[in-house]
Each structure stands twice: as structure tokens, then as C-alpha cells.
Amino acid sequence: MRAHFPTPNGGAVLALTCGTALLARSELHHGFLAAVVDGFDLVVHEAGHPLLGLLGSRFLMFLGGTLLQLALPVAALAAFAARRQPASFAAAVVWLGVNLVNVGT
């Protein structure tokens, strides 16, 4: 039986591991990389409120930020899964994890 994803090459695994470690370190020390990722996620979050507010539901407007903040990485996951790109898929999983932590706080 064929695996769903091809095996990523060593360079992709190394890049993903190093990038995830740098992001985790930056998150712990409130560094620049974490600020860039969190800033982008904040823009996406805030854009979700008026976008889902256009549907006419006040309830969806309140939830819109969180919904869009989580929907964007999930859409990336689906796109990378469809294209069978394991390293990109793993990076999107990390991005979703960062968003889940931010939403949880």
C-alpha cells in the first residue's frame, strides 16, 4: 500500500525542525520571529470579525476572529495534503498549533 505522503527529503526535515525550534525559542523569549507570526495571526483574527459580520449574525461576528484564525491554517493543511507536500503540511500543523495556543489564552 502506498503512503499518503511521500517521504520528505533530509533538507526539508532539517529546515522544518530548525524553524520550529527557532519559533518555539522565540515564543518563550518574546522574540522577533514570534512577534511576526503572532502579528500576522492577529491581523487575520481581526479581519475575521467584519468578514463574518457581513453574514448578518452578531454571534458569527463575535466568533469570526477565532474562526478565521483557525480556518486559514486548516485550509493550508488541506491544500498541502491535496498536493502531497509533507514538509509544508507539517509546517501548517505547527502554525495551527501556535494559533490554538493563542486562541486558548
Side-chain angles (χ1 to χ4, degrees), residues 4-103:
H4 182 65
F5 286 114
T7 304
N9 63 29
V13 172
L14 181 64
L16 182 64
T17 304
C18 290
T20 303
L22 286 172
L23 181 59
R25 185 179 189 283
S26 186
E27 285 282 348
L28 288 173
H29 298 288
H30 306 289
F32 179 74
L33 183 59
V36 169
V37 172
D38 290 342
F40 175 76
D41 290 336
L42 178 63
V43 170
V44 170
H45 175 95
E46 292 304 325
H49 294 295
L51 286 176
L52 267 72
L54 291 174
L55 298 175
S57 169
R58 189 173 168 102
F59 181 67
L60 281 178
M61 182 188 71
F62 284 123
L63 291 179
T66 299
L67 291 176
L68 190 61
Q69 185 178 353
L70 296 176
L72 200 58
V74 168
L77 286 171
F80 294 137
R83 293 186 180 130
R84 298 174 45 90
Q85 297 175 334
S88 300
F89 182 85
V93 168
V94 171
W95 182 25
L96 178 61
V98 168
N99 278 321
L100 287 170
V101 169
N102 288 340
V103 166

